[in-house]
Structure formats: C-alpha cells, structure tokens
C-alpha cells in the first residue's frame, strides 16, 4: 500500500512521528493530483528554490523504481521516428507531471523589473494552475511574501496548496 512509504519515512526519522498525519494528508493530496492528470508545481527561495528544483528533477525521472513508458507510447515513438524511435522508446521514462516555478529565469527577471518580484510565483500559478493541480511551496521562515502571494493566487484559482 502507498502509505507504507510514509511509515518507512517515520520509521527512519522517528521525530516525524508527531506530524505523521500531516505528511499523510500531503502525500494523499499529491497522489490524488497526479492520478487526476494534474501537475505539481513547486516554488521556494534560496536553498528552498534548489530543493524545489531537486524534487522536480527526481519526479520527472525514475528514482527508486523504474518508470518505463507504456507499450503504446513506445510504439508511437518507433512509428513516428523511424531513425531514432527505438532509442527513444528504450531510454525515455514515464515521469510524473511536475514543474518547478523557479526554473524560468528570463520570465522572473522580466516580471521583477516590469511588475513586482513578490508576484513572480503568483503570476505563474495564476496562468498554469487549475483545480486538478497542487502548489507546493518550500520556505524556511514560512512567511516569504512571494510564496504567500503564490498560495493566495493558487487558492483563488482552485489549485490545492
């Protein structure tokens, strides 16, 4: 069962036991998002931005378990790309739908210059987010204005946070 992953985490780090139910709630929210065809959006500042990028990269590719493409996807690659389809079908993976909002430096610098740096993530989640999606923000302080605005914008468009 999927929750065994949470149990394994709490067993490894017993100090997480007191917040196990919150971890389960977040885990179930993320699973529900992905099963519904939604996307997980991540954002953070500084080291938390690096964490958001790292989490996104681990979900876009396989981590502990292989995520091979399904046979229909492999067949489409082979059929549509005669010269390289076999190679693509063999090496591409079925990752999870995840986007780090920190990964758009040209947009971020333009928006900061033209509008307001505190709205960089809020603008992106306003455009990208929907009711099947989740926004996960990572903050050491818990009160970064740009992340708080992103949560407000996500809530307004039905994106879970």
């Amino acid at each position: 069962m999927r929750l065994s992953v949470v149990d394994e985490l709490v067993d490894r780090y017993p100090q997480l036991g007191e917040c196990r139910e919150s971890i389960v709630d977040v885990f179930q929210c993320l699973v529900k998002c992905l099963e519904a065809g939604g996307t997980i959006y991540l954002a953070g500042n500084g080291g938390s931005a690096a964490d958001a990028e790292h989490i996104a990269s681990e979900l876009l590719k396989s981590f502990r378990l292989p995520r091979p493409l399904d046979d229909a996807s492999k067949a489409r690659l082979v059929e549509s790309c005669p010269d390289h389809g076999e190679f693509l079908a063999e090496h591409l993976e079925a990752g999870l739908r995840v986007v780090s909002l920190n990964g758009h430096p040209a947009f971020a610098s333009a928006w900061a210059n033209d509008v307001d740096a505190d709205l960089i993530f809020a603008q992106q989640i306003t455009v990208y987010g929907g009711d099947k999606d989740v926004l996960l923000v990572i903050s050491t302080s818990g009160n970064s204005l740009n992340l708080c605005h992103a949560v407000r914008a996500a809530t307004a468009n039905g994106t879970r946070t």
Side-chain angles (χ1 to χ4, degrees):
M1 178 173 196
R2 289 184 181 141
L3 290 182
S4 65
V5 173
V6 176
D7 293 331
E8 184 181 318
L9 178 69
V10 172
D11 286 346
R12 190 175 306 148
Y13 302 100
Q15 63 272 30
L16 295 176
E18 65 188 55
C19 57
R20 183 185 184 284
E21 289 310 308
S22 294
I23 294 169
V24 167
D25 289 346
V26 170
F27 179 76
Q28 290 176 331
C29 179
L30 297 173
V31 168
K32 182 179 175 183
C33 164
L34 295 169
E35 286 178 342
T39 301
I40 299 169
Y41 295 97
L42 298 110
N45 295 313
S48 297
D51 291 339
E53 288 283 335
H54 186 182
I55 292 167
S57 68
E58 294 294 358
L59 295 177
L60 284 168
K61 63 174 193 63
S62 60
F63 180 59
R64 288 176 58 187
L65 302 174
R67 294 189 193 128
L69 293 177
D70 59 58
D71 290 339
S73 296
K74 289 179 179 181
R76 284 192 302 274
L77 284 166
V78 171
E79 183 179 322
S80 66
C81 310
D83 294 337
H84 303 283
E86 291 283 344
F87 175 81
L88 295 170
E90 182 181 332
H91 291 91
L92 294 178
E93 299 178 346
L96 303 176
R97 293 175 55 100
V98 60
V99 174
S100 171
L101 299 179
N102 294 94
H104 306 102
F107 163 75
S109 63
W111 190 265
N113 182 64
D114 297 345
V115 182
D116 187 333
D118 285 332
L119 299 176
I120 290 169
F121 300 134
Q123 174 62 21
Q124 290 181 83
I125 202 64
T126 294
V127 173
Y128 295 140
D131 61 4
K132 292 181 183 177
D133 303 325
V134 171
L135 171 65
L136 183 101
V137 296
I138 306 169
S139 174
T140 303
S141 70
N143 60 8
S144 299
L145 187 57
N146 62 343
L147 297 174
C148 290
H149 283 329
V151 168
R152 291 178 184 109
T155 301
N157 72 10
T159 301
R160 299 278 316 262
T161 59

